[in-house]
Amino acid sequence: MSPVSPVIDVAGQPVSRLETILGRVLRVGVTASSLCLAVGLALSLAPGMANAARVLLHAGIIVLLATPAARVVASIGEYVVERDWVFVSLTAIVLAELLASLLAAVYGRRL
Amino acid sequence: MPAVTPALALIIFGAGAVAGGLGALLGIGGGVFLVPFLNLALNFPIAAAAAISLTTVIATSSSVSAGRAGKQLINLRLGMVLEVATAAGGLLGGVTAQTLAQTTVQKLFGVATAVVAIVMLGRLGRRNVILDPSVEPGLLGGRYYEDESGGVVTYRVKRLPAALAASFVAGNLSSLLGIGGGVIKVPALNAWCGVPVRAAAATSAFMIGVTATAGAVIYYGHGQLVPALAAAAVLGVQFGSWSGLRLGARASARWLKVLMTVVLFVMSALMFWRGTQP
């Protein structure tokens, strides 16, 4: 990745490094998951490709679900670098909530 | 769970494209259209419909926010604060969805969409922009350049507890009903908290990815998400919103809002009626 340069936007403010980083994380995630889903869907309609299709479709869904979570992790990292502890805590709470929903998904099934 | 056939995948791709296109034109997600279609027209269980719709919400949120990054429209700090509430709501909604009867969720969908339609009606022709560059944005406020006002718009955030409460409710309904929840947050942030509508919409679109993930993970873990159909819907919505954004500049917002209000009332009535059937 190229280094993030301080761009000045139309409002005369430097575009935050955080915003640039988050934009990249989201773009990479949504592109990767859309590719997996498109190829997986195409294969699932072709005969004899059921296993490959299954793997790609689940991979696409998992990458899609992981993208907002990755964005939250990236925010925590950037706020740590900025030593903005209030926002480190807030974004850590959001990550904890996402992990709790993962737990609810795994253990809720067995109830 | 519905079986995957090429015809079904194509129908869902088409429905996704229509929902995504309408969503992009109206500045909302397409979930309010997609869920009733899947549930009523295709007879999917409401949980399967909501799960598919939530994956499209995540995809839309991610691609729209990636495209907007660097334009200062997304209020990251406000978004991160409100996400604490929306993700909690999303988590709770996802858990409750596993315990509620389908008819209860359908009735709830009917009531929620009727309220949204009434709110839309009340906001026809309204443009809420604060133009006062001398104001300091404060800890959570923001500042961005707006073409329509021809200048830099600054705003402060008022009544944070109201914004948190609206976000919690939006997150809860998002998971339960499979919608993004922007239709609740944007009017609340705009009318109660002083956030200009464009910044409110961009910030809401940024947040709904996280909100929808909290709910979608739970449906996925419970085997209620059919990956192939979610794939068709996600690709359809991406295609539809891409097309919708290109048409958007030419369409009149006013008749689109009227059209959407009518569609919302029809869907609200249909879902509520279905919810009352044994």
PDB file of all heavy atoms in Angstrom, chain B residues 135-169:
ATOM      1  N   VAL B 135     -19.813  28.959  13.505  1.00  0.00           N
ATOM      2  CA  VAL B 135     -20.030  28.031  14.604  1.00  0.00           C
ATOM      3  C   VAL B 135     -18.868  27.045  14.687  1.00  0.00           C
ATOM      4  O   VAL B 135     -18.412  26.527  13.673  1.00  0.00           O
ATOM      5  CB  VAL B 135     -21.354  27.253  14.387  1.00  0.00           C
ATOM      6  CG1 VAL B 135     -21.572  26.237  15.483  1.00  0.00           C
ATOM      7  CG2 VAL B 135     -22.514  28.219  14.314  1.00  0.00           C
ATOM      8  N   GLU B 136     -18.395  26.786  15.903  1.00  0.00           N
ATOM      9  CA  GLU B 136     -17.386  25.740  16.089  1.00  0.00           C
ATOM     10  C   GLU B 136     -18.102  24.395  16.145  1.00  0.00           C
ATOM     11  O   GLU B 136     -19.118  24.274  16.826  1.00  0.00           O
ATOM     12  CB  GLU B 136     -16.621  25.980  17.396  1.00  0.00           C
ATOM     13  CG  GLU B 136     -15.449  26.955  17.252  1.00  0.00           C
ATOM     14  CD  GLU B 136     -14.436  26.503  16.203  1.00  0.00           C
ATOM     15  OE1 GLU B 136     -13.986  25.350  16.289  1.00  0.00           O
ATOM     16  OE2 GLU B 136     -14.125  27.295  15.296  1.00  0.00           O
ATOM     17  N   PRO B 137     -17.602  23.392  15.421  1.00  0.00           N
ATOM     18  CA  PRO B 137     -18.340  22.126  15.370  1.00  0.00           C
ATOM     19  C   PRO B 137     -18.375  21.356  16.693  1.00  0.00           C
ATOM     20  O   PRO B 137     -19.218  20.483  16.857  1.00  0.00           O
ATOM     21  CB  PRO B 137     -17.604  21.325  14.295  1.00  0.00           C
ATOM     22  CG  PRO B 137     -16.281  21.966  14.135  1.00  0.00           C
ATOM     23  CD  PRO B 137     -16.434  23.388  14.527  1.00  0.00           C
ATOM     24  N   GLY B 138     -17.479  21.689  17.621  1.00  0.00           N
ATOM     25  CA  GLY B 138     -17.486  20.959  18.892  1.00  0.00           C
ATOM     26  C   GLY B 138     -16.909  19.562  18.739  1.00  0.00           C
ATOM     27  O   GLY B 138     -16.393  19.199  17.680  1.00  0.00           O
ATOM     28  N   LEU B 139     -17.061  18.772  19.788  1.00  0.00           N
ATOM     29  CA  LEU B 139     -16.424  17.449  19.811  1.00  0.00           C
ATOM     30  C   LEU B 139     -17.004  16.509  18.761  1.00  0.00           C
ATOM     31  O   LEU B 139     -16.293  15.750  18.120  1.00  0.00           O
ATOM     32  CB  LEU B 139     -16.591  16.837  21.209  1.00  0.00           C
ATOM     33  CG  LEU B 139     -15.918  15.478  21.402  1.00  0.00           C
ATOM     34  CD1 LEU B 139     -14.405  15.588  21.244  1.00  0.00           C
ATOM     35  CD2 LEU B 139     -16.273  14.894  22.752  1.00  0.00           C
ATOM     36  N   LEU B 140     -18.329  16.546  18.572  1.00  0.00           N
ATOM     37  CA  LEU B 140     -18.960  15.570  17.696  1.00  0.00           C
ATOM     38  C   LEU B 140     -19.515  16.161  16.410  1.00  0.00           C
ATOM     39  O   LEU B 140     -19.994  15.444  15.547  1.00  0.00           O
ATOM     40  CB  LEU B 140     -20.098  14.851  18.437  1.00  0.00           C
ATOM     41  CG  LEU B 140     -19.676  13.921  19.568  1.00  0.00           C
ATOM     42  CD1 LEU B 140     -20.892  13.323  20.232  1.00  0.00           C
ATOM     43  CD2 LEU B 140     -18.772  12.821  19.051  1.00  0.00           C
ATOM     44  N   GLY B 141     -19.470  17.474  16.293  1.00  0.00           N
ATOM     45  CA  GLY B 141     -20.044  18.103  15.108  1.00  0.00           C
ATOM     46  C   GLY B 141     -19.170  17.891  13.888  1.00  0.00           C
ATOM     47  O   GLY B 141     -18.216  17.119  13.916  1.00  0.00           O
ATOM     48  N   GLY B 142     -19.497  18.594  12.797  1.00  0.00           N
ATOM     49  CA  GLY B 142     -18.728  18.423  11.577  1.00  0.00           C
ATOM     50  C   GLY B 142     -18.811  19.642  10.689  1.00  0.00           C
ATOM     51  O   GLY B 142     -19.497  20.633  11.007  1.00  0.00           O
ATOM     52  N   ARG B 143     -18.090  19.545   9.581  1.00  0.00           N
ATOM     53  CA  ARG B 143     -17.986  20.666   8.681  1.00  0.00           C
ATOM     54  C   ARG B 143     -17.703  20.080   7.318  1.00  0.00           C
ATOM     55  O   ARG B 143     -16.846  19.218   7.186  1.00  0.00           O
ATOM     56  CB  ARG B 143     -16.793  21.509   9.160  1.00  0.00           C
ATOM     57  CG  ARG B 143     -16.573  22.781   8.428  1.00  0.00           C
ATOM     58  CD  ARG B 143     -15.436  23.521   9.076  1.00  0.00           C
ATOM     59  NE  ARG B 143     -15.907  24.436  10.112  1.00  0.00           N
ATOM     60  CZ  ARG B 143     -15.124  24.985  11.025  1.00  0.00           C
ATOM     61  NH1 ARG B 143     -13.854  24.686  11.071  1.00  0.00           N
ATOM     62  NH2 ARG B 143     -15.620  25.833  11.901  1.00  0.00           N
ATOM     63  N   TYR B 144     -18.472  20.477   6.324  1.00  0.00           N
ATOM     64  CA  TYR B 144     -18.205  19.950   4.976  1.00  0.00           C
ATOM     65  C   TYR B 144     -18.661  20.959   3.939  1.00  0.00           C
ATOM     66  O   TYR B 144     -19.417  21.890   4.256  1.00  0.00           O
ATOM     67  CB  TYR B 144     -18.903  18.601   4.780  1.00  0.00           C
ATOM     68  CG  TYR B 144     -20.406  18.670   4.780  1.00  0.00           C
ATOM     69  CD1 TYR B 144     -21.117  18.790   3.591  1.00  0.00           C
ATOM     70  CD2 TYR B 144     -21.129  18.625   5.976  1.00  0.00           C
ATOM     71  CE1 TYR B 144     -22.499  18.881   3.590  1.00  0.00           C
ATOM     72  CE2 TYR B 144     -22.502  18.711   5.983  1.00  0.00           C
ATOM     73  CZ  TYR B 144     -23.178  18.835   4.786  1.00  0.00           C
ATOM     74  OH  TYR B 144     -24.539  18.936   4.787  1.00  0.00           O
ATOM     75  N   TYR B 145     -18.210  20.768   2.716  1.00  0.00           N
ATOM     76  CA  TYR B 145     -18.566  21.667   1.637  1.00  0.00           C
ATOM     77  C   TYR B 145     -19.826  21.154   0.968  1.00  0.00           C
ATOM     78  O   TYR B 145     -19.946  19.979   0.654  1.00  0.00           O
ATOM     79  CB  TYR B 145     -17.434  21.742   0.610  1.00  0.00           C
ATOM     80  CG  TYR B 145     -17.766  22.651  -0.548  1.00  0.00           C
ATOM     81  CD1 TYR B 145     -17.570  24.024  -0.446  1.00  0.00           C
ATOM     82  CD2 TYR B 145     -18.304  22.135  -1.727  1.00  0.00           C
ATOM     83  CE1 TYR B 145     -17.897  24.861  -1.492  1.00  0.00           C
ATOM     84  CE2 TYR B 145     -18.638  22.971  -2.776  1.00  0.00           C
ATOM     85  CZ  TYR B 145     -18.429  24.326  -2.669  1.00  0.00           C
ATOM     86  OH  TYR B 145     -18.768  25.159  -3.694  1.00  0.00           O
ATOM     87  N   GLU B 146     -20.788  22.038   0.774  1.00  0.00           N
ATOM     88  CA  GLU B 146     -22.030  21.614   0.137  1.00  0.00           C
ATOM     89  C   GLU B 146     -22.313  22.458  -1.095  1.00  0.00           C
ATOM     90  O   GLU B 146     -22.365  23.686  -1.012  1.00  0.00           O
ATOM     91  CB  GLU B 146     -23.184  21.725   1.131  1.00  0.00           C
ATOM     92  CG  GLU B 146     -24.415  21.012   0.621  1.00  0.00           C
ATOM     93  CD  GLU B 146     -25.573  21.188   1.570  1.00  0.00           C
ATOM     94  OE1 GLU B 146     -26.003  22.339   1.753  1.00  0.00           O
ATOM     95  OE2 GLU B 146     -26.051  20.191   2.117  1.00  0.00           O
ATOM     96  N   ASP B 147     -22.508  21.784  -2.216  1.00  0.00           N
ATOM     97  CA  ASP B 147     -22.768  22.463  -3.483  1.00  0.00           C
ATOM     98  C   ASP B 147     -24.025  23.333  -3.429  1.00  0.00           C
ATOM     99  O   ASP B 147     -24.025  24.479  -3.863  1.00  0.00           O
ATOM    100  CB  ASP B 147     -22.948  21.435  -4.609  1.00  0.00           C
ATOM    101  CG  ASP B 147     -21.596  21.013  -5.170  1.00  0.00           C
ATOM    102  OD1 ASP B 147     -20.649  21.815  -5.046  1.00  0.00           O
ATOM    103  OD2 ASP B 147     -21.499  19.905  -5.714  1.00  0.00           O
ATOM    104  N   GLU B 148     -25.116  22.735  -2.902  1.00  0.00           N
ATOM    105  CA  GLU B 148     -26.412  23.428  -2.913  1.00  0.00           C
ATOM    106  C   GLU B 148     -26.358  24.744  -2.165  1.00  0.00           C
ATOM    107  O   GLU B 148     -26.995  25.719  -2.538  1.00  0.00           O
ATOM    108  CB  GLU B 148     -27.502  22.542  -2.279  1.00  0.00           C
ATOM    109  CG  GLU B 148     -27.759  21.267  -3.051  1.00  0.00           C
ATOM    110  CD  GLU B 148     -27.891  20.070  -2.130  1.00  0.00           C
ATOM    111  OE1 GLU B 148     -28.438  20.224  -1.028  1.00  0.00           O
ATOM    112  OE2 GLU B 148     -27.428  18.983  -2.510  1.00  0.00           O
ATOM    113  N   SER B 149     -25.581  24.777  -1.058  1.00  0.00           N
ATOM    114  CA  SER B 149     -25.488  26.008  -0.280  1.00  0.00           C
ATOM    115  C   SER B 149     -24.351  26.880  -0.799  1.00  0.00           C
ATOM    116  O   SER B 149     -24.248  28.042  -0.438  1.00  0.00           O
ATOM    117  CB  SER B 149     -25.227  25.683   1.190  1.00  0.00           C
ATOM    118  OG  SER B 149     -26.119  24.708   1.639  1.00  0.00           O
ATOM    119  N   GLY B 150     -23.482  26.286  -1.627  1.00  0.00           N
ATOM    120  CA  GLY B 150     -22.363  27.023  -2.186  1.00  0.00           C
ATOM    121  C   GLY B 150     -21.339  27.427  -1.142  1.00  0.00           C
ATOM    122  O   GLY B 150     -20.649  28.434  -1.285  1.00  0.00           O
ATOM    123  N   GLY B 151     -21.231  26.672  -0.076  1.00  0.00           N
ATOM    124  CA  GLY B 151     -20.255  27.035   0.943  1.00  0.00           C
ATOM    125  C   GLY B 151     -20.015  25.914   1.919  1.00  0.00           C
ATOM    126  O   GLY B 151     -20.540  24.814   1.763  1.00  0.00           O
ATOM    127  N   VAL B 152     -19.216  26.224   2.922  1.00  0.00           N
ATOM    128  CA  VAL B 152     -18.902  25.233   3.936  1.00  0.00           C
ATOM    129  C   VAL B 152     -19.992  25.258   5.001  1.00  0.00           C
ATOM    130  O   VAL B 152     -20.342  26.310   5.525  1.00  0.00           O
ATOM    131  CB  VAL B 152     -17.524  25.510   4.562  1.00  0.00           C
ATOM    132  CG1 VAL B 152     -17.252  24.559   5.710  1.00  0.00           C
ATOM    133  CG2 VAL B 152     -16.446  25.392   3.504  1.00  0.00           C
ATOM    134  N   VAL B 153     -20.549  24.110   5.270  1.00  0.00           N
ATOM    135  CA  VAL B 153     -21.628  23.984   6.250  1.00  0.00           C
ATOM    136  C   VAL B 153     -21.022  23.447   7.548  1.00  0.00           C
ATOM    137  O   VAL B 153     -20.263  22.486   7.524  1.00  0.00           O
ATOM    138  CB  VAL B 153     -22.693  22.989   5.729  1.00  0.00           C
ATOM    139  CG1 VAL B 153     -23.739  22.732   6.788  1.00  0.00           C
ATOM    140  CG2 VAL B 153     -23.309  23.509   4.452  1.00  0.00           C
ATOM    141  N   THR B 154     -21.333  24.093   8.657  1.00  0.00           N
ATOM    142  CA  THR B 154     -20.844  23.620   9.946  1.00  0.00           C
ATOM    143  C   THR B 154     -22.052  23.275  10.802  1.00  0.00           C
ATOM    144  O   THR B 154     -23.091  23.912  10.699  1.00  0.00           O
ATOM    145  CB  THR B 154     -20.033  24.719  10.658  1.00  0.00           C
ATOM    146  OG1 THR B 154     -19.054  25.205   9.758  1.00  0.00           O
ATOM    147  CG2 THR B 154     -19.366  24.172  11.902  1.00  0.00           C
ATOM    148  N   TYR B 155     -21.908  22.232  11.597  1.00  0.00           N
ATOM    149  CA  TYR B 155     -23.016  21.902  12.488  1.00  0.00           C
ATOM    150  C   TYR B 155     -22.494  21.357  13.792  1.00  0.00           C
ATOM    151  O   TYR B 155     -21.403  20.804  13.859  1.00  0.00           O
ATOM    152  CB  TYR B 155     -23.965  20.898  11.817  1.00  0.00           C
ATOM    153  CG  TYR B 155     -23.312  19.587  11.439  1.00  0.00           C
ATOM    154  CD1 TYR B 155     -23.370  18.487  12.287  1.00  0.00           C
ATOM    155  CD2 TYR B 155     -22.631  19.468  10.239  1.00  0.00           C
ATOM    156  CE1 TYR B 155     -22.766  17.296  11.948  1.00  0.00           C
ATOM    157  CE2 TYR B 155     -22.019  18.283   9.890  1.00  0.00           C
ATOM    158  CZ  TYR B 155     -22.087  17.201  10.740  1.00  0.00           C
ATOM    159  OH  TYR B 155     -21.481  16.027  10.403  1.00  0.00           O
ATOM    160  N   ARG B 156     -23.274  21.536  14.821  1.00  0.00           N
ATOM    161  CA  ARG B 156     -22.997  20.933  16.125  1.00  0.00           C
ATOM    162  C   ARG B 156     -24.041  19.862  16.369  1.00  0.00           C
ATOM    163  O   ARG B 156     -25.133  19.933  15.824  1.00  0.00           O
ATOM    164  CB  ARG B 156     -23.099  21.987  17.227  1.00  0.00           C
ATOM    165  CG  ARG B 156     -22.081  23.086  17.133  1.00  0.00           C
ATOM    166  CD  ARG B 156     -22.321  24.101  18.227  1.00  0.00           C
ATOM    167  NE  ARG B 156     -21.964  23.572  19.530  1.00  0.00           N
ATOM    168  CZ  ARG B 156     -20.790  23.769  20.107  1.00  0.00           C
ATOM    169  NH1 ARG B 156     -19.869  24.495  19.517  1.00  0.00           N
ATOM    170  NH2 ARG B 156     -20.523  23.260  21.284  1.00  0.00           N
ATOM    171  N   VAL B 157     -23.697  18.897  17.192  1.00  0.00           N
ATOM    172  CA  VAL B 157     -24.662  17.852  17.496  1.00  0.00           C
ATOM    173  C   VAL B 157     -25.360  18.195  18.804  1.00  0.00           C
ATOM    174  O   VAL B 157     -24.719  18.417  19.824  1.00  0.00           O
ATOM    175  CB  VAL B 157     -23.979  16.475  17.599  1.00  0.00           C
ATOM    176  CG1 VAL B 157     -24.972  15.411  17.991  1.00  0.00           C
ATOM    177  CG2 VAL B 157     -23.321  16.127  16.278  1.00  0.00           C
ATOM    178  N   LYS B 158     -26.684  18.273  18.745  1.00  0.00           N
ATOM    179  CA  LYS B 158     -27.483  18.531  19.944  1.00  0.00           C
ATOM    180  C   LYS B 158     -28.127  17.234  20.415  1.00  0.00           C
ATOM    181  O   LYS B 158     -28.273  16.306  19.636  1.00  0.00           O
ATOM    182  CB  LYS B 158     -28.600  19.538  19.620  1.00  0.00           C
ATOM    183  CG  LYS B 158     -28.107  20.886  19.153  1.00  0.00           C
ATOM    184  CD  LYS B 158     -29.279  21.797  18.789  1.00  0.00           C
ATOM    185  CE  LYS B 158     -29.910  21.360  17.473  1.00  0.00           C
ATOM    186  NZ  LYS B 158     -30.918  22.297  16.964  1.00  0.00           N
ATOM    187  N   ARG B 159     -28.541  17.191  21.636  1.00  0.00           N
ATOM    188  CA  ARG B 159     -29.337  16.082  22.183  1.00  0.00           C
ATOM    189  C   ARG B 159     -28.762  14.709  21.844  1.00  0.00           C
ATOM    190  O   ARG B 159     -29.437  13.877  21.242  1.00  0.00           O
ATOM    191  CB  ARG B 159     -30.772  16.145  21.663  1.00  0.00           C
ATOM    192  CG  ARG B 159     -31.464  17.451  22.024  1.00  0.00           C
ATOM    193  CD  ARG B 159     -32.956  17.348  21.739  1.00  0.00           C
ATOM    194  NE  ARG B 159     -33.563  18.658  21.770  1.00  0.00           N
ATOM    195  CZ  ARG B 159     -33.737  19.415  20.692  1.00  0.00           C
ATOM    196  NH1 ARG B 159     -33.390  18.977  19.510  1.00  0.00           N
ATOM    197  NH2 ARG B 159     -34.270  20.600  20.807  1.00  0.00           N
ATOM    198  N   LEU B 160     -27.517  14.475  22.261  1.00  0.00           N
ATOM    199  CA  LEU B 160     -26.885  13.179  21.990  1.00  0.00           C
ATOM    200  C   LEU B 160     -27.690  11.987  22.531  1.00  0.00           C
ATOM    201  O   LEU B 160     -27.794  10.964  21.852  1.00  0.00           O
ATOM    202  CB  LEU B 160     -25.454  13.162  22.538  1.00  0.00           C
ATOM    203  CG  LEU B 160     -24.637  11.924  22.193  1.00  0.00           C
ATOM    204  CD1 LEU B 160     -24.434  11.792  20.693  1.00  0.00           C
ATOM    205  CD2 LEU B 160     -23.292  11.941  22.899  1.00  0.00           C
ATOM    206  N   PRO B 161     -28.296  12.096  23.738  1.00  0.00           N
ATOM    207  CA  PRO B 161     -29.081  10.955  24.228  1.00  0.00           C
ATOM    208  C   PRO B 161     -30.217  10.571  23.272  1.00  0.00           C
ATOM    209  O   PRO B 161     -30.497   9.376  23.082  1.00  0.00           O
ATOM    210  CB  PRO B 161     -29.641  11.449  25.564  1.00  0.00           C
ATOM    211  CG  PRO B 161     -28.667  12.482  26.018  1.00  0.00           C
ATOM    212  CD  PRO B 161     -28.190  13.156  24.763  1.00  0.00           C
ATOM    213  N   ALA B 162     -30.846  11.568  22.631  1.00  0.00           N
ATOM    214  CA  ALA B 162     -31.918  11.262  21.675  1.00  0.00           C
ATOM    215  C   ALA B 162     -31.339  10.510  20.478  1.00  0.00           C
ATOM    216  O   ALA B 162     -31.942   9.550  19.979  1.00  0.00           O
ATOM    217  CB  ALA B 162     -32.594  12.553  21.209  1.00  0.00           C
ATOM    218  N   ALA B 163     -30.153  10.933  20.030  1.00  0.00           N
ATOM    219  CA  ALA B 163     -29.511  10.262  18.900  1.00  0.00           C
ATOM    220  C   ALA B 163     -29.157   8.819  19.267  1.00  0.00           C
ATOM    221  O   ALA B 163     -29.342   7.898  18.464  1.00  0.00           O
ATOM    222  CB  ALA B 163     -28.249  11.011  18.482  1.00  0.00           C
ATOM    223  N   LEU B 164     -28.682   8.627  20.503  1.00  0.00           N
ATOM    224  CA  LEU B 164     -28.337   7.270  20.955  1.00  0.00           C
ATOM    225  C   LEU B 164     -29.579   6.390  21.034  1.00  0.00           C
ATOM    226  O   LEU B 164     -29.555   5.231  20.612  1.00  0.00           O
ATOM    227  CB  LEU B 164     -27.640   7.330  22.322  1.00  0.00           C
ATOM    228  CG  LEU B 164     -26.178   7.786  22.309  1.00  0.00           C
ATOM    229  CD1 LEU B 164     -25.707   8.111  23.726  1.00  0.00           C
ATOM    230  CD2 LEU B 164     -25.274   6.735  21.681  1.00  0.00           C
ATOM    231  N   ALA B 165     -30.667   6.955  21.557  1.00  0.00           N
ATOM    232  CA  ALA B 165     -31.904   6.186  21.684  1.00  0.00           C
ATOM    233  C   ALA B 165     -32.437   5.798  20.309  1.00  0.00           C
ATOM    234  O   ALA B 165     -32.802   4.637  20.067  1.00  0.00           O
ATOM    235  CB  ALA B 165     -32.948   6.996  22.455  1.00  0.00           C
ATOM    236  N   ALA B 166     -32.460   6.764  19.376  1.00  0.00           N
ATOM    237  CA  ALA B 166     -32.941   6.474  18.020  1.00  0.00           C
ATOM    238  C   ALA B 166     -32.061   5.410  17.372  1.00  0.00           C
ATOM    239  O   ALA B 166     -32.552   4.519  16.664  1.00  0.00           O
ATOM    240  CB  ALA B 166     -32.953   7.744  17.173  1.00  0.00           C
ATOM    241  N   SER B 167     -30.756   5.472  17.623  1.00  0.00           N
ATOM    242  CA  SER B 167     -29.830   4.505  17.030  1.00  0.00           C
ATOM    243  C   SER B 167     -30.052   3.107  17.589  1.00  0.00           C
ATOM    244  O   SER B 167     -29.970   2.115  16.861  1.00  0.00           O
ATOM    245  CB  SER B 167     -28.379   4.919  17.283  1.00  0.00           C
ATOM    246  OG  SER B 167     -28.155   6.194  16.747  1.00  0.00           O
ATOM    247  N   PHE B 168     -30.345   3.045  18.888  1.00  0.00           N
ATOM    248  CA  PHE B 168     -30.607   1.737  19.495  1.00  0.00           C
ATOM    249  C   PHE B 168     -31.858   1.111  18.878  1.00  0.00           C
ATOM    250  O   PHE B 168     -31.853  -0.064  18.482  1.00  0.00           O
ATOM    251  CB  PHE B 168     -30.768   1.874  21.010  1.00  0.00           C
ATOM    252  CG  PHE B 168     -31.062   0.564  21.694  1.00  0.00           C
ATOM    253  CD1 PHE B 168     -30.045  -0.334  21.952  1.00  0.00           C
ATOM    254  CD2 PHE B 168     -32.368   0.232  22.048  1.00  0.00           C
ATOM    255  CE1 PHE B 168     -30.315  -1.555  22.561  1.00  0.00           C
ATOM    256  CE2 PHE B 168     -32.642  -0.979  22.658  1.00  0.00           C
ATOM    257  CZ  PHE B 168     -31.610  -1.873  22.910  1.00  0.00           C
ATOM    258  N   VAL B 169     -32.933   1.906  18.778  1.00  0.00           N
ATOM    259  CA  VAL B 169     -34.179   1.406  18.183  1.00  0.00           C
ATOM    260  C   VAL B 169     -33.943   0.997  16.728  1.00  0.00           C
ATOM    261  O   VAL B 169     -34.381  -0.077  16.282  1.00  0.00           O
ATOM    262  CB  VAL B 169     -35.288   2.481  18.271  1.00  0.00           C
ATOM    263  CG1 VAL B 169     -36.515   2.057  17.491  1.00  0.00           C
ATOM    264  CG2 VAL B 169     -35.641   2.746  19.727  1.00  0.00           C
TER     265      VAL B 169
END
